[in-house]
Amino acid sequence: MTTQKYFPYVNNKMFAEDVDLNDIAAQVGTPFYCYSNTAIGQNYQDYQQAFLAQETLICYAVKANGNQAVLSTLAKLGSGADVVSEGEIRRARAAGIPANKIVYSGVAKAESEIEYALAEGIFQFNVESEPELELINQVASRLNKTAAIALRINPDVCANTHAKISTGKSENKFGVPISKARLAYQQAAKLPNIKVQGVDVHIGSQLTQLAPFEEAYKRIAQLVTDLREDGHDISVIDIGGGLGITYHDESIPAKQAYADIAKAQLGHLHCKIVIEPGRSLLGNAGILVSSVVFVKTGEERQFLILDAGMNDLIRPSMYEAYHEILAVNKANSALKTYDVVGPVCETGDTFAKARQVSESKSGDLIAIMSCGAYGAVMASTYNTRMLAPEVMVKDNEFAVVRQRPNYQDVINADLVPDWV
Ligand code: LLP
């Protein structure tokens, strides 16, 4: 079982903090995402605490959940942002995250996006290739600015995670191969509108072991030493994100143990450390609440058909991801085995196969756990299903932080040319 202490059962009803999820469902309708503000804050503060002994900038990975209420919560706690698009820079800035706490990652930054980031005055570009370096230099020169950069290094380390979210192997599209790094830094140093300040590494997401981080940081430490010998002024090491969460029965290293690894491998270099956590801040701070539409008895199995689908939460179909599925009201303690599926017209629209869930009937509320990260942000309107609203809870209060769109607005977004 996951340790979801912010979604406890009280008298057999699941709460979000001190709010009964039945009350939210009655007001908002299902499906909806629900986030615990306190959990987000606690997760952030755990990182702060763990990295106290190192000069650290925590740059929340906005891609995990870019809701303005989430970003504002983190902004107020002092968080920076790791962004991968102009849209994410705009989101972070709108929520009050200062530009000088923003690092900008991503393999395909467009010219206009680079221009925007430079105009805002972000802390650092995490540059993923030599051509990108050239382009940033060109744009900076046109704007008469200097771009502070780190090169993202691909250390060729196996993260032991799902192949689709593994980024630090030489066959992945990310970063500059470590074997070419010294050459790339030499090239960077020659560019007049580039200021080399750091080294960046991110080897993947949902890591459940520390050894891959340790190996990557060891390689990065050696590189920083070499780069300094080559005459580069390296003062920042961005160690990426990636610490996993418990979805099922994974045991995840403590944030302190992760921080200790960074200190042991990199501390002697006296650099400012940047971390880019996403999932470990938001994942277990959010759930997706859905209703049972039908219970259907097939030839061999029972289907629990929900009003949430793969368009709302794509992780199970995309990464074979496991999410705990729990009855919001545990009045019925008998467990039954179901295939838990959504309404979308694809067999892949399956949240779990042969899963034991409290015996349920049409209209019952079901919570899909650990959905705060890479849930709402990856949702789509496939099958012309409206994006699920998002709700945030703090203590005994809740608020809708993104409304359910209405059909007319969605249809009106399409334009029909005269000649059709
Ligand atoms: N920094 C960079 C450069 C990244 O690419 C990522 C995630 C992070 C930080 C944050 O990693 P985290 O702390 O969240 O592990 N949609 C997938 C996950 C994709 C992760 C992409 N990069 C999923 O649902 O599992």
Side-chain angles (χ1 to χ4, degrees):
M1 291 286 273
T2 50
T3 50
Q4 308 231 342
K5 71 178 202 195
Y6 298 97
F7 299 96
Y9 280 104
V10 181
N11 297 328
N12 285 329
K13 294 169 177 200
M14 192 187 289
F15 275 53
E17 302 200 22
D18 300 327
V19 181
D20 186 338
L21 287 168
N22 291 282
D23 294 341
I24 304 179
Q27 279 192 42
V28 176
T30 57
F32 66 91
Y33 277 96
C34 180
Y35 310 128
S36 157
N37 180 276
T38 307
I40 299 168
Q42 189 61 57
N43 289 337
Y44 180 83
Q45 279 158 357
D46 288 350
Y47 267 114
Q48 252 184 340
Q49 185 64 34
F51 279 87
L52 219 49
Q54 305 170 66
E55 191 200 342
T56 304
L57 176 61
I58 304 174
C59 289
Y60 166 61
V62 174
K63 65 171 79 66
N65 185 325
N67 187 287
Q68 286 294 297
V70 168
L71 296 179
S72 299
T73 300
L74 290 167
K76 292 210 169 83
L77 292 168
S79 184
D82 163 50
V83 302
V84 292
S85 67
E86 178 175 338
E88 287 191 352
I89 301 177
R90 287 179 183 269
R91 278 193 179 279
R93 297 289 292 121
I97 295 178
N100 65 8
K101 287 187 181 173
I102 293 179
V103 296
Y104 183 7
S105 311
V107 293
K109 301 174 187 78
E111 190 164 345
S112 58
E113 294 184 302
I114 293 168
E115 204 172 305
Y116 185 77
L118 280 168
E120 285 291 293
I122 63 164
F123 174 66
Q124 176 170 293
F125 288 85
N126 287 338
V127 179
E128 304 236 8
S129 65
E130 294 85 348
E132 182 191 330
L133 204 50
E134 298 281 347
L135 181 60
I136 294 176
N137 182 59
Q138 263 174 38
V139 179
S141 139
R142 177 153 50 76
L143 300 181
N144 209 7
K145 298 209 177 253
T146 303
I149 67 111
L151 287 182
R152 176 167 176 181
I153 301 305
N154 186 323
D156 196 19
V157 168
C158 177
N160 291 333
T161 184
H162 193 282
K164 285 187 186 161
I165 52 175
S166 181
T167 57
K169 286 288 290 170
S170 57
E171 68 259 28
N172 302 132
K173 68 179 175 183
F174 299 97
V176 174
I178 194 157
S179 55
K180 287 171 68 187
R182 288 175 87 164
L183 212 62
Y185 273 91
Q186 244 179 49
Q187 183 189 342
K190 287 192 196 126
L191 299 171
N193 294 73
I194 294 286
K195 177 186 159 227
V196 170
Q197 71 177 24
V199 174
D200 168 44
V201 67
H202 170 80
I203 57 174
S205 195
Q206 183 56 13
L207 271 74
T208 57
Q209 299 156 339
L210 289 176
F213 288 120
E214 190 171 25
E215 185 53 39
Y217 301 161
K218 196 176 284 177
R219 294 181 191 188
I220 292 300
Q222 183 57 50
L223 176 65
V224 171
T225 305
D226 294 346
L227 291 174
R228 283 178 171 168
E229 262 176 43
D230 293 348
H232 303 287
D233 189 5
I234 304 293
S235 59
V236 178
I237 303 176
D238 183 336
I239 63 173
L243 195 60
I245 62 167
T246 300
Y247 284 99
H248 184 201
D249 52 8
E250 307 91 331
S251 75
I252 303 295
K255 295 187 177 81
Q256 188 62 59
Y258 171 65
D260 291 347
I261 292 274
K263 189 155 170 37
Q265 296 303 325
L266 306 168
H268 63 286
L269 299 165
H270 304 291
C271 285
K272 176 179 184 133
I273 299 295
V274 175
I275 60 173
E276 304 172 348
R279 190 191 312 267
S280 47
L281 288 179
L282 258 295
N284 276 330
I287 63 175
L288 175 61
V289 179
S290 171
S291 299
V292 175
V293 182
F294 299 116
V295 180
K296 172 168 160 176
T297 306
E299 197 153 292
E300 293 161 18
R301 26 187 110 201
Q302 290 254 58
F303 295 99
L304 200 58
I305 308 181
L306 306 183
D307 66 358
M310 65 189 288
N311 69 298
D312 300 301
L313 176 71
I314 203 169
R315 302 196 69 259
S317 30
M318 188 137 174
Y319 314 107
E320 297 83 37
Y322 183 101
H323 286 260
E324 200 90 61
I325 296 175
L326 300 173
V328 167
N329 299 299
K330 277 204 301 194
N332 190 342
S333 55
L335 293 177
K336 272 198 103 156
T337 304
Y338 296 107
D339 278 13
V340 185
V341 301
V344 170
C345 301
E346 294 200 24
T347 302
D349 185 22
T350 297
F351 291 118
K353 284 195 171 146
R355 186 71 68 82
Q356 297 236 298
V357 183
S358 290
E359 187 165 7
S360 303
K361 59 181 185 321
S362 172
D364 285 355
L365 293 177
I366 296 288
I368 305 181
M369 309 306 283
S370 315
C371 292
Y374 308 112
V377 281
M378 295 182 78
S380 77
T381 56
Y382 186 40
N383 280 203
T384 308
R385 293 168 39 77
M386 298 300 98
L387 292 178
E390 295 171 271
V391 172
M392 185 175 276
V393 172
K394 187 181 171 107
D395 302 327
N396 60 0
E397 285 188 279
F398 77 89
V400 173
V401 296
R402 191 182 67 194
Q403 285 184 326
R404 196 186 304 279
N406 66 60
Y407 289 115
Q408 210 49 53
D409 289 347
V410 169
I411 294 168
N412 287 347
D414 296 352
L415 302 171
V416 183
D418 300 344
W419 39 264
V420 164

